[in-house]
Amino acid sequence: MKFALLALTLIGLHAALLFDMGQVPICECGYIKLWHGITYSSENSQHISDWYTFSHIIHGFAFYGIAWLIGRKRGWSVGFMFLLALIAEIAWELFENTDFIINRYREVTISLDYYGDSIINSVSDVLAMVLGFFLAYRLPVWATVVILLALEIFVGYWIRDNLLLNIVMLIYPFEFIKTWQIGG
C-alpha cells in the first residue's frame, strides 16, 4: 500500500513539474483521444496513447530486468524495484520534455512537428511503463522477450520507427535510416 501511495505521489509530482515546465495539460486541439495513430502530426504525443506507447511498455520490461538483475542479490522487494523503475521513467519523461531533447528530436529524427508531450500523454507513458514492469514481473522471461520483439517489429513495420531506432537516431543519427523512415 505504501508503494502505491508513493507511486501516485511521484506521478502527481511528475505532472506538476511538466506543467511548471510549460507543457500543455491536453492537446491544444481541445479534445482528448484514447488513441492517436498518425505519427506525422502535431497531435502525436498529445493524446492518451499513440504508437510510442509501445516503447514505454518496453521501458517497463527493461527496467524490471535491470532492477531484477541488480536487486535479486541485494534482497530488493518488487515494490522497491517498481519505485526505482518509476523514478527512472519519470526522469526520462521530464528530460524528454526539455528544450534540449525536443530540439534534438526535431533535428535528427523524423519527429519534425514534435513540441514535447502533453501532460496527459506523458502520464499515460509512465502508466504504460508500469504495465510493462508488472507484465515482466508476472510473465516468464521468454514471453516478455517474445512480446518485446513482437512490439518492436510491429511498430517498426507500421511507422518505420520503434524504440531501438528512436535510441539510435537520438544518440547517433544515420541519414540512411532517416531517409528510410520518411519513405525514401
Side-chain angles (χ1 to χ4, degrees), residues 33 40 49 114 128 132 170 183:
K33 293 178 2 188
Y40 305 112
S49 62
Y114 184 66
L170 194 60

Side-chain angles (χ1 to χ4, degrees), residues 95-105 107:
F95 185 53
E96 181 185 34
N97 285 286
T98 63
D99 288 341
F100 174 76
I101 293 295
I102 291 169
N103 291 331
R104 181 78 177 154
Y105 272 131
E107 290 168 8

Side-chain angles (χ1 to χ4, degrees), residues 10-12 27 33 36-37 47 59 69 78-79 85 101 108 114 120 128 141 143 157 169 177-178 184:
L10 287 171
I11 293 169
C27 178
K33 293 178 2 188
H36 181 76
H47 295 283
H59 289 180
L69 284 171
V78 174
I101 293 295
V108 300
Y114 184 66
I120 195 168
V141 173
Y157 174 79
M169 294 302 287
I177 292 175
K178 189 173 181 179

Side-chain angles (χ1 to χ4, degrees), residues 7 11 56-61 63-64 82 85-87 89-90 123-137:
I11 293 169
H56 295 281
I57 293 170
I58 295 170
H59 289 180
F61 294 167
F63 290 151
Y64 177 78
F82 166 66
L86 187 63
I87 290 166
E89 182 71 6
I90 288 171
V123 168
S124 295
D125 288 346
V126 169
L127 295 176
M129 185 285 301
V130 170
L131 173 64
F133 182 93
F134 284 106
L135 283 173
Y137 168 62

Side-chain angles (χ1 to χ4, degrees), residues 5-175:
L5 253 112
L6 226 65
L8 289 173
T9 302
L10 287 171
I11 293 169
L13 180 61
H14 165 236
L17 287 170
L18 285 173
F19 186 77
D20 191 54
M21 291 168 59
Q23 295 309 110
V24 296
I26 66 168
C27 178
E28 290 184 336
C29 62
Y31 53 88
I32 299 170
K33 293 178 2 188
L34 179 60
W35 169 259
H36 181 76
I38 303 167
T39 54
Y40 305 112
S41 144
S42 60
E43 289 185 38
N44 197 47
S45 296
Q46 300 301 300
H47 295 283
I48 293 173
S49 62
D50 53 45
W51 285 105
Y52 295 99
T53 302
F54 299 110
S55 294
H56 295 281
I57 293 170
I58 295 170
H59 289 180
F61 294 167
F63 290 151
Y64 177 78
I66 293 166
W68 182 83
L69 284 171
I70 295 169
R72 66 187 164 124
K73 293 181 182 175
R74 291 172 173 79
W76 291 355
S77 70
V78 174
F80 181 72
M81 291 188 303
F82 166 66
L83 285 179
L84 291 177
L86 187 63
I87 290 166
E89 182 71 6
I90 288 171
W92 166 250
E93 283 293 316
L94 292 171
F95 185 53
E96 181 185 34
N97 285 286
T98 63
D99 288 341
F100 174 76
I101 293 295
I102 291 169
N103 291 331
R104 181 78 177 154
Y105 272 131
R106 294 179 77 210
E107 290 168 8
V108 300
T109 73
I110 57 173
S111 303
L112 302 177
D113 284 337
Y114 184 66
Y115 294 97
D117 299 352
S118 69
I119 295 170
I120 195 168
N121 178 265
S122 188
V123 168
S124 295
D125 288 346
V126 169
L127 295 176
M129 185 285 301
V130 170
L131 173 64
F133 182 93
F134 284 106
L135 283 173
Y137 168 62
R138 287 292 184 199
L139 294 173
V141 173
W142 68 265
T144 304
V145 171
V146 167
I147 293 169
L148 182 151
L149 292 172
L151 289 175
E152 281 289 271
I153 291 166
F154 175 70
V155 174
Y157 174 79
W158 279 103
I159 67 166
R160 295 182 182 218
D161 201 10
N162 57 26
L163 181 58
L164 179 61
L165 288 171
N166 204 285
I167 292 168
V168 167
M169 294 302 287
L170 194 60
I171 294 172
Y172 192 85
F174 291 95
E175 195 59 39

